[in-house]
Amino acid sequence: MKSQRATSRVLCKSLPFFAIIAAGAPITALAQTTDVPPSGPGAEQEGQEIVVTGFRRSLQAANAHKRDADIVSDGISAEDIGKFPDQNLAESLQRITGVQITRSRGEGSSVSIRGLSPEFSRVQFNGRTLGSGGGRSFDFTSLSAEFVSSVEVQKSPTADMIEGGLSGTVNISTPKALQIGKTRFNGTVEGVYEENAKKLSPRLSGLFNYVNPSETFGFNVGVAYEQRKYLQVQYQGYGAETGVESTRTPPIDYNRDGDFNDTYTFNHAQAYQAYPGTRTRFSIISNAQLKPKDNIELSLDYFHSDFKESNLWYENATRFTNIAPAIPGQPYGVTASTIDTSLAPQLLNGSAGFLTSVSATGLDHRASTFSQNSRKIINSGSLSGKITDDHMEVTGQASYSKATTNGLNNGFATISRATGTITHPDGIGAPPKVEYGGGYNPLDPSTFYLLTQDFFGGSNADELWEGRLDATYSFDDGVLKSLKGGLYFADRTNSAYDVRSSLNATQLNALSGGKLQLFPGWEGASGAVSARDILKPVSFGKSIPYYPSSYLVTDLDAYYGLISPAAIAAAAPPQVVRGSGFDVTERTMAAYVQAAFRGAQDRLSGNVGIRFVNTQTISSGLVPNLNGIIIEPGGVFTTIPDAAQASVKGDYHYFLPSMNVKYELSRDLVLRAAAARVLGRPGLGQLSAGTTVDANVRRINSGNPSLKPYLSDQLDLSLEYYLPKQGLLTAALFYKHLTNYIVNGQVAETRTVQLRGGGTQTLEFRRNQPVNFASADIKGAEVAAQIPLSYLGDALDGFGLFGSFTYLDAPKVPLFQGGPSATLDGVSKINYNAGAYFEKSGFGLRGSYTYRSSYSNGSGIFGDGDVTPAYGQLDASISYQITKAVSVNADVSNLLNAVQKTQNGFGLLDTYNLIGRRITAGVHVSF
């Protein structure tokens, strides 16, 4: 009986086929002959030789790990070195049951597991934590998939796993020299074509692996370079702002009733934007392994990533919130408006309704260009060792990781005063329509004036030391299979700060030698300079409703022809914003014991254990005097005076028990159950002791060093039915009881601010501070299927279907303390993927569709909620194995050119985003 089960596992251990195919794997056929004992209905006789393709071999490797594991997990294995399914790991992972992703510039950037925020998904690289340069969630755009050999999503924890993965742990593995086992080279040359940008960019990678003849020493080095030139075109709203008419500057009579006492809600701004940009990623991996004796192994591992992004941000914007004369005494004001009072119960702060249209003179109209540049560098290394002696195995690892992120943006507050009308002909859930009248020409540069040039950006450094020591003693017989214990230590320091500087009109006039003509009375005391000579029209012609055929933006070449960059840098070097950012040190010590057991003739197996975790934090920051806020009228730059240094300590400790049980009901039917308490730490920025201010959107943000960690008491139950020919049916139920859930504590504050050009202004701010407030229960179900159609006859050999479906039931919690409720951030009720494939004679074709229903992104800028509506995307791939050493492939991402949107809590459109299709094609060689 025991040997029959062991042989049947080779074929039947099966990760869901959809998780590999749908991930976009090049479907090749590196033919290999492998003796695979068959099992299941209609299986061939034992000992018959079966030809297994390289792709099927990769399935079997991942599937074997899934079935043998004592925990609830899924994973993806690369078909070969340099042949992971997607160029982006997040896009591969979204096809695994219960995994969702968020996108940046149309590219997968972060991973959610079973609906919880990406901050709760712990990502580790070859067993160690990688810093991400900003938060706890890992940014997958920094990580090339070229050298990833496997990815495992661990959904139920064990005591020996590093804590922090409240929703699950993503474990990324790269090839080890002695695991590859021979000297070889793999290389890939591809081109990446972006449909919107109509640009072709290179993607190159190569890995050399050396193993000595005695197979006691080996090393490898891999290098990958990728460039991506994109064009993102979108409409963006800035959120539903609620305000009293009298608090506008100057006051605005929105409903034209003769007084300024009414409170209304309106879209803070509506903007049509385009982002032409370039991303480049350079990666290095390296591994050296030494095995001086059969029972001793040493491994040295290194990873480097250098990710750069630069883009221009062209914007044509209008603002409800700023209706004023360009010069005092000129006419301004609302001439007509419509107000939807039916939305009043959903609005905040006693609003009487939402302004769905406004006709006005003196309407704020912007013609802006921003240049944005950022760079993220990650360096990580580890030294690990393993010693085995009879029944004892001792492993240890020491690692270091540092991630730094730096960014600097350069923007222009270029404004005109228009006569125009803003309407929502297709409803507030669609882009608005902006029309101009009264003789105003939006393409006339002589009507625009430059108020300020602003620089804003920031820096983050995330440094982490980790060490762990584990010892396992195995037993030959009896119920106790092994006893394991270990220690873990981590020391993490994460610091961030913002930088800003600004040049006003008087300075710009002086630096240009008078070429930028100064108008002292325009837009208040600070004045403005004429933008007539520094604007240009742009046109993108994309199919966003009411997107203007052309509009004016700042011409950077013309501008820097009048003022040299060196002169600007000398006059306005970026300065650290007082009170911005945070500095958090977090030290963790953990110890655990874990026992693995077996029974019922090895049909029953599992583990039970307990982990003790102690964490100490030190949060430092600057607390500013908010009575001295200085703003630039009409601009986006906020200055706060010198601040006092604050430092706050925190300390918490918890016991985290866990149990995982697996029972083989038959050789093809596996039942799993798991129970655990899991810990998730607050975001690093949430632990800040400092305070930041943004007068443009009336917001004050403070951290809370006293936050407690999230806790989840969770249960898992799953059933897996393994079919021959890599077929699989699975079903799972899970439950999480969350406590210490963090929401924003939010209060309104009225502050009198200083205007940089003179005078004061009274503004109402919304102050936010995270607090432990809520508890929540998340319940869910998962089903998945992988069905090779050869079951139906030989004519369908090579065809297959795959799919998965996840349902999540999560309660609503307050967007902020005392505010309206929304479903937990990141929770999509419905998630599924479905697709089909064909693989035969070296030819492969597949298509896959992934869908995620709407989910909340938080409270939004003005507390109006931020929601991402349902989104689905179709991807396709085709490949052919020319020879054993050479294959070609082509992949299309977002085949149907799907639109990505966000909206606020009552349906007002925030963003309508077109990123376009991305086509990748190339050749892979191996020798």
Side-chain angles (χ1 to χ4, degrees):
M1 176 71 78
K2 188 173 182 179
S3 64
Q4 287 177 347
R5 284 198 300 274
T7 54
S8 67
R9 288 192 187 104
V10 178
L11 180 62
C12 294
K13 294 166 188 171
S14 177
L15 169 75
F17 204 15
F18 61 83
I20 310 295
I21 298 292
I27 303 178
T28 61
L30 290 172
Q32 297 241 340
T33 300
T34 307
D35 292 331
V36 181
S39 65
E44 294 85 348
Q45 296 299 312
E46 187 169 339
Q48 180 177 335
E49 186 180 79
I50 299 174
V51 176
V52 180
T53 67
F55 183 67
R56 286 184 58 193
R57 188 176 73 252
S58 69
L59 289 178
Q60 290 175 351
N63 298 347
H65 181 80
K66 174 181 172 64
R67 184 163 181 174
D68 278 349
D70 287 332
I71 65 173
V72 179
S73 67
D74 287 299
I76 300 174
S77 291
E79 179 182 350
D80 199 354
I81 300 170
K83 301 185 77 173
F84 199 77
D86 284 298
Q87 62 179 322
N88 181 284
L89 289 180
E91 294 175 4
S92 291
L93 287 167
Q94 69 174 325
R95 279 92 179 193
I96 288 181
T97 311
V99 176
Q100 303 86 38
I101 70 170
T102 53
R103 289 180 167 84
S104 167
R105 306 288 189 240
E107 191 174 357
S109 58
S110 58
V111 168
S112 299
I113 302 173
R114 289 179 166 175
L116 291 176
S117 166
E119 290 283 320
F120 299 134
S121 300
R122 186 177 179 277
V123 178
Q124 60 184 32
F125 183 83
N126 290 332
R128 65 186 186 273
T129 305
L130 284 182
S132 197
R136 296 196 190 276
S137 64
F138 183 75
D139 184 355
F140 281 84
T141 57
S142 297
L143 181 59
S144 172
E146 290 301 306
F147 309 122
V148 175
S149 57
S150 67
V151 180
E152 182 185 11
V153 178
Q154 301 166 327
K155 299 177 182 178
S156 67
T158 55
D160 63 342
M161 290 171 55
I162 301 173
E163 70 286 341
L166 189 77
S167 60
T169 297
V170 180
N171 191 21
I172 302 167
S173 298
T174 58
K176 301 296 185 290
L178 296 181
Q179 289 176 348
I180 296 174
K182 57 184 176 181
T183 300
R184 62 181 297 189
F185 173 81
N186 290 75
T188 300
V189 178
E190 292 180 319
V192 181
Y193 179 77
E194 294 281 344
E195 182 184 51
N196 273 8
K198 295 181 172 56
K199 297 288 181 65
L200 181 66
S201 305
R203 183 179 177 220
L204 312 169
S205 66
L207 185 141
F208 173 74
N209 193 80
Y210 169 80
V211 176
N212 68 353
S214 61
E215 298 185 4
T216 58
F217 172 74
F219 72 89
N220 60 42
V221 177
V223 178
Y225 174 81
E226 177 186 351
Q227 185 184 82
R228 181 181 169 219
K229 296 183 178 180
Y230 60 84
L231 172 61
Q232 178 176 322
V233 182
Q234 72 177 31
Y235 160 78
Q236 179 171 347
Y238 282 76
E241 180 180 355
T242 298
V244 180
E245 292 174 327
S246 61
T247 62
R248 305 299 96 186
T249 305
I252 303 171
D253 187 6
Y254 283 114
N255 63 348
R256 305 181 69 237
D257 66 352
D259 65 52
F260 299 95
N261 301 321
D262 304 299
T263 299
Y264 289 113
T265 301
F266 42 85
N267 195 349
H268 178 79
Q270 41 278 306
Y272 291 92
Q273 302 170 333
Y275 298 86
T278 301
R279 285 180 165 182
T280 59
R281 180 172 56 215
F282 177 72
S283 303
I284 300 173
I285 68 162
S286 182
N287 170 256
Q289 282 186 295
L290 177 65
K291 201 171 184 179
K293 295 183 179 181
D294 289 342
N295 67 331
I296 299 177
E297 182 179 315
L298 297 174
S299 182
L300 185 64
D301 194 67
Y302 173 71
F303 169 73
H304 169 81
S305 173
D306 188 346
F307 180 77
K308 300 176 185 177
E309 181 167 15
S310 62
N311 67 267
L312 295 175
W313 169 3
Y314 294 135
E315 179 173 84
N316 175 59
T318 53
R319 300 189 182 189
F320 277 143
T321 188
N322 186 12
I323 300 171
I327 300 176
Q330 287 188 343
Y332 83 98
V334 174
T335 58
S337 65
T338 59
I339 300 167
D340 186 346
T341 57
S342 67
L343 293 174
Q346 304 176 54
L347 305 177
L348 304 175
N349 303 326
S351 174
F354 181 80
L355 289 165
T356 56
S357 72
V358 169
S359 297
T361 297
L363 182 66
D364 183 327
H365 180 207
R366 303 284 171 122
S368 301
T369 296
F370 300 82
S371 62
Q372 301 178 309
N373 296 277
S374 64
R375 185 177 188 182
K376 179 180 293 185
I377 298 176
I378 301 175
N379 285 291
S380 177
S382 71
L383 176 63
S384 59
K386 180 172 68 174
I387 301 175
T388 58
D389 184 13
D390 196 14
H391 294 277
M392 179 66 76
E393 177 181 284
V394 178
T395 62
Q397 183 183 72
S399 65
Y400 172 78
S401 175
K402 184 173 184 179
T404 57
T405 302
N406 294 284
L408 184 63
N409 307 318
N410 173 17
F412 299 82
T414 309
I415 185 173
S416 177
R417 290 297 174 179
T419 298
T421 299
I422 303 169
T423 60
H424 290 83
D426 302 320
I428 62 173
K433 184 177 183 179
V434 180
E435 298 176 288
Y436 301 101
Y440 178 76
N441 180 5
L443 295 177
D444 181 1
S446 67
T447 66
F448 286 84
Y449 295 82
L450 178 61
L451 304 179
T452 62
Q453 181 182 7
D454 298 320
F455 297 89
F456 50 98
S459 179
N460 181 279
D462 189 4
E463 189 172 30
L464 175 65
W465 294 89
E466 280 184 310
R468 63 180 301 168
L469 182 66
D470 304 91
T472 305
Y473 187 86
S474 301
F475 299 90
D476 290 330
D477 301 304
V479 174
L480 191 60
K481 185 178 179 180
S482 66
L483 190 61
K484 187 175 184 180
L487 301 172
Y488 169 77
F489 169 79
D491 188 327
R492 185 172 195 171
T493 301
N494 194 293
S495 59
Y497 59 86
D498 295 336
V499 295
R500 289 184 179 175
S501 63
S502 183
L503 292 169
N504 62 28
T506 301
Q507 293 171 299
L508 295 174
N509 171 260
L511 288 172
S512 68
K515 295 176 183 177
L516 291 175
Q517 184 180 359
L518 180 65
F519 291 82
W522 213 91
E523 286 290 329
S526 294
V529 294
S530 172
R532 179 187 55 202
D533 299 325
I534 59 169
L535 297 181
K536 67 176 182 180
V538 292
S539 178
F540 297 98
K542 298 300 175 183
S543 55
I544 295 178
Y546 310 115
Y547 198 97
S549 58
S550 63
Y551 55 90
L552 293 177
V553 297
T554 311
D555 185 340
L556 297 183
D557 291 336
Y559 179 80
Y560 289 118
L562 298 176
I563 306 177
S564 72
I568 291 173
Q575 303 291 322
V576 175
V577 179
R578 305 292 289 176
S580 72
F582 54 88
D583 191 336
V584 177
T585 298
E586 185 178 76
R587 295 186 178 94
T588 299
M589 296 190 68
Y592 74 91
V593 291
Q594 177 178 301
F597 56 84
R598 60 193 166 198
Q601 296 181 313
D602 282 348
R603 288 185 179 275
L604 176 69
S605 62
N607 58 70
V608 61
I610 190 166
R611 186 178 186 89
F612 174 77
V613 179
N614 178 259
T615 301
Q616 297 177 340
T617 61
I618 302 175
S619 300
S620 302
L622 294 173
V623 181
N625 176 10
L626 298 180
N627 293 320
I629 299 173
I630 304 170
I631 69 169
E632 189 74 43
V636 296
F637 187 66
T638 305
T639 302
I640 54 178
D642 287 348
Q645 183 75 28
S647 183
V648 182
K649 294 183 179 180
D651 189 352
Y652 56 84
H653 58 271
Y654 291 92
F655 287 95
L656 306 175
S658 62
M659 181 175 66
N660 292 269
V661 179
K662 180 180 73 172
Y663 185 72
E664 294 186 8
L665 299 170
S666 70
R667 65 181 182 180
D668 299 319
L669 192 62
V670 177
L671 178 69
R672 299 181 191 272
R677 166 164 281 196
V678 188
L679 177 148
R681 295 187 171 89
L684 293 163
Q686 292 177 315
L687 295 171
S688 168
T691 296
T692 61
V693 180
D694 188 339
N696 182 50
V697 293
R698 317 285 199 269
R699 184 168 58 185
I700 300 171
N701 289 331
S702 299
N704 184 353
S706 301
L707 287 173
K708 299 177 183 178
Y710 301 83
L711 292 176
S712 173
D713 294 322
Q714 60 187 48
L715 300 171
D716 289 88
L717 182 67
S718 70
L719 186 64
E720 304 158 2
Y721 182 39
Y722 292 86
L723 305 171
K725 303 180 182 180
Q726 282 75 52
L728 178 64
L729 301 174
T730 67
L733 300 172
F734 58 89
Y735 167 81
K736 296 176 183 289
H737 174 65
L738 298 178
T739 55
N740 296 339
Y741 197 83
I742 296 173
V743 300
N744 271 330
Q746 193 173 91
V747 295
E749 293 185 5
T750 300
R751 297 279 177 181
T752 298
V753 303
Q754 308 294 318
L755 303 181
R756 189 177 302 279
T760 62
Q761 184 176 351
T762 300
L763 299 175
E764 183 178 278
F765 288 84
R766 191 178 302 275
R767 182 162 190 155
N768 302 288
Q769 184 178 43
V771 294
N772 294 110
F773 179 74
S775 62
D777 292 327
I778 298 177
K779 302 177 285 291
E782 300 170 343
V783 293
Q786 167 209 320
I787 306 174
L789 295 184
S790 56
Y791 285 128
L792 303 179
D794 293 341
L796 296 177
D797 184 39
F799 289 92
L801 302 175
F802 51 87
S804 71
F805 178 88
T806 301
Y807 173 81
L808 293 166
D809 179 22
K812 292 186 176 182
V813 298
L815 289 170
F816 53 87
Q817 194 171 8
S821 295
T823 304
L824 289 178
D825 289 355
V827 174
S828 297
K829 181 172 287 189
I830 302 297
N831 307 269
Y832 68 81
N833 70 78
Y837 67 91
F838 173 76
E839 177 193 12
K840 199 168 186 178
S841 303
F843 177 78
L845 178 67
R846 62 90 188 165
S848 62
Y849 182 81
T850 57
Y851 172 87
R852 181 179 185 182
S853 65
S854 63
Y855 61 93
S856 172
N857 294 314
S859 62
I861 293 176
F862 297 102
D864 55 333
D866 192 5
V867 177
T868 296
Y871 179 80
Q873 180 169 310
L874 178 65
D875 302 322
S877 175
I878 186 171
S879 63
Y880 184 69
Q881 191 76 36
I882 300 174
T883 69
K884 185 177 180 179
V886 180
S887 64
V888 293
N889 71 280
D891 302 89
V892 182
S893 176
N894 195 17
L895 186 62
L896 299 180
N897 202 16
V899 176
Q900 301 171 22
K901 302 178 184 180
T902 60
Q903 63 188 40
N904 81 343
F906 60 86
L908 176 68
L909 183 70
D910 285 341
T911 61
Y912 186 102
N913 177 16
L914 289 176
I915 194 63
R917 299 177 184 88
R918 185 171 69 249
I919 302 170
T920 304
V923 59
H924 179 83
V925 298
S926 177
F927 56 86

